[in-house]
Structure formats: structure tokens, C-alpha cells
Amino acid sequence: MSDLLTIAPEVRDVLAAGGPVVALESTIVTHGMPWPRNVETAREVEADVRAAGAVPATIAVLDGAIRIGLSGQELERLARTDHVMKCSRADLAFAVATGQAGSTTVAATMMAAEAAGIAVFATGGIGGVHRGAEQSFDISADLDELARTPVCVVSAGAKALLDLPKTLEVLETRGVPVVGYGTDVFPAFWSRESGLPAPYRLDDPQAIARLLATRRLMAGHGGVLVANPVPAEAEIPAAEMEGYIAAALKEADRRGIRAKDVTPFVLSLIHDLTRGASLATNIALVRNNARLAAQIAVALAEND
């Protein structure tokens, strides 16, 4: 896979020196937010990573290559492009082979980050087991990727529109450590608490870095999920969010929306139902995750 990568010079140089780099996904740019807030947020997230002492590497498919680190011009081009492929593991090779522009989900970003030698990745929320999966079998590839690919994923838990208890059960079955950062409760994306216990708790980036370093010594181990609650001042309480989520999922079902189209549709409708409050919360949690991921990457580089 390394032959398919185009690594930005700054990212390549920092990796070669053993310095801290944080991978960032690009689906939030193409499918998660409207223009121009998408590119503004992407730039803010990259700035947050730099402010915490690491180098950002936003990942996307452009011109038949997997780009590890985008220039400002490339980031804006991606944000303005229509009909960008949403790439998970199954889609990444197709986008590269056909020359289509593609944004990377959690799974695809993990694949590319690991191939480039990047150990820490910041996102908003992971995918998981969808509600009604016992009939639809709709389960995100993110969970299997976490099981197989040794990258630390910092997120605000899993997206709250999912079946969170089943998502945690699958992560446990797949052998993925789920670490609450400064919390004993698994966060629910827009909300600080899901009501479900976090399997493990660590309270500082150095402790997480030690866990990652230890996992490296164990052959065949995959990733680690760090569940970082949204800042208190930005959260929308879970009870309030559940009403919006239920309404949005009902509308998605009425329209026959399925598979990978469900999440962007539901997020967009929730944005409308909350009159933009969910987007503000989403931005706050992504930036919060980027800052923590950078701190973990710095601690990991210092330990090497």
C-alpha cells in the first residue's frame, strides 16, 4: 500500500525524525459539514494539532493517490468538489484506480495512517452497529478496522445515532480497548454521557502513550479507541438529542435511505432540527479530539 501514498514533505520529514504526527480524516470535509464551514473547520483542526506540538496529516484520495497531508489549496479543492466518494476499506482501491476524488472514513484513514507510519488519529465519532442491525446487518467497517489496524483513534465515542450498547459489545469481542479519557462513562458524541460504562479510564496523555507503547510489544494487536467527552459547555444532553435522532432515523427509513448514506443524511437532518446547534457541538468535539490526539502523539514520540 505504501506505493500508493503521496506523503506531504513536512509530514514525511517529521515521521522520518520520529516526531509527532496526527492523522485526520476528510469525510467531515465532504460529507459532514456545509461549505464554507467544512474547510474552515478543517483548518481550525489542523491549527489545533499544531498548537499542541504535532503536525497534522489530513488524508484523502486525489488524482489517483492516497494523500497523507493536504496543502491549503488541496483541502479547499476537496471541500468544493461535487460527488466525492466516501471511502471506507472497500472503496479505497476503487477511488485510487479510477482517479476519483475520495474522502476517508475512520476505517480508510486508519489504513492509510498505518501504512504511512502514523500512530495517532483524531476524528469526531466512530461508526458502529446501526440500530436495527439484527435485521439489516448494518455494521460499520470501522469496528473491524479497529480490531486489525494498530492506530490509536481519538473520538467522542461513537455517533449517538447508533446502537451504542451493541457497538461496545462488538468492540469487546474484537479485542479493542475502549479507554474513557477522564471519565468512567462512555461518551455519546454530542453528549458527554451515554449511560454506559467506559471499559477503562486513563486521565492523561502520557498514560495513553504508555498503553500504546505496551500494545506495540504484543504481536497481532489492533487499535485503541480513546473516548474523549465533548467539552461540557458545548454538549447537548443525551435526552434532548434522542428526540432529534429518533425523528431523523424515522425520516431516513421513510425515504428508504440505506447503508453508508444513512449517517450523512441523519447528521444533516439533525442539524436542521437543532437549528445548527448540533453542528456547533460537532465542531467543538472534533477540535477537542484533535488537541488530545496531538498531546498523545507528542507523549508517544517522547517515549520512543
Side-chain angles (χ1 to χ4, degrees), residues 188 190-193 232 234-244 281:
W190 298 284
S191 311
R192 289 179 61 81
E193 297 188 358
E235 84 159 327
I236 302 174
E240 180 182 345
M241 278 307 308
E242 185 54 36
Y244 301 130
T281 299

Side-chain angles (χ1 to χ4, degrees), residues 30-41:
T30 60
H31 293 78
M33 296 182 186
W35 170 269
R37 199 65 188 98
N38 54 355
V39 72
E40 292 169 353
T41 299

Side-chain angles (χ1 to χ4, degrees), residues 189-282:
F189 198 63
W190 298 284
S191 311
R192 289 179 61 81
E193 297 188 358
S194 66
L196 302 168
Y200 302 105
R201 173 176 176 159
L202 292 172
D203 294 331
D204 61 75
Q206 291 73 24
I208 296 171
R210 287 193 295 272
L211 170 61
L212 300 180
T214 303
R215 291 269 292 180
R216 286 177 175 176
L217 302 176
M218 299 181 178
H221 279 55
V224 172
L225 178 63
V226 176
N228 184 31
V230 61
E233 65 274 12
E235 84 159 327
I236 302 174
E240 180 182 345
M241 278 307 308
E242 185 54 36
Y244 301 130
I245 292 167
L249 288 172
K250 183 177 180 179
E251 182 62 15
D253 185 63
R254 188 185 73 80
R255 297 193 190 189
I257 294 170
R258 298 288 183 267
K260 67 174 64 178
D261 295 327
V262 171
T263 296
F265 173 83
V266 169
L267 292 177
S268 177
L269 186 52
I270 287 173
H271 171 267
D272 295 339
L273 293 172
T274 62
R275 298 181 181 180
S278 64
L279 177 59
T281 299
N282 194 354

Side-chain angles (χ1 to χ4, degrees), residues 20-45:
V21 176
V22 173
L24 301 170
E25 60 150 295
S26 49
T27 299
I28 194 171
V29 177
T30 60
H31 293 78
M33 296 182 186
W35 170 269
R37 199 65 188 98
N38 54 355
V39 72
E40 292 169 353
T41 299
R43 288 171 175 157
E44 288 167 354
V45 169

Side-chain angles (χ1 to χ4, degrees), residues 10 17 31-32 56 65 83 85 92-93 100 121 125 158 163 173 186 191 216 221 224-225 240 246 256 276 292 302:
E10 180 189 23
H31 293 78
H83 309 299
M85 283 188 66
L92 200 54
Q100 295 188 55
F121 160 40
D163 188 321
T173 300
F186 188 65
S191 311
R216 286 177 175 176
H221 279 55
V224 172
L225 178 63
E240 180 182 345
L292 175 58
E302 290 173 347

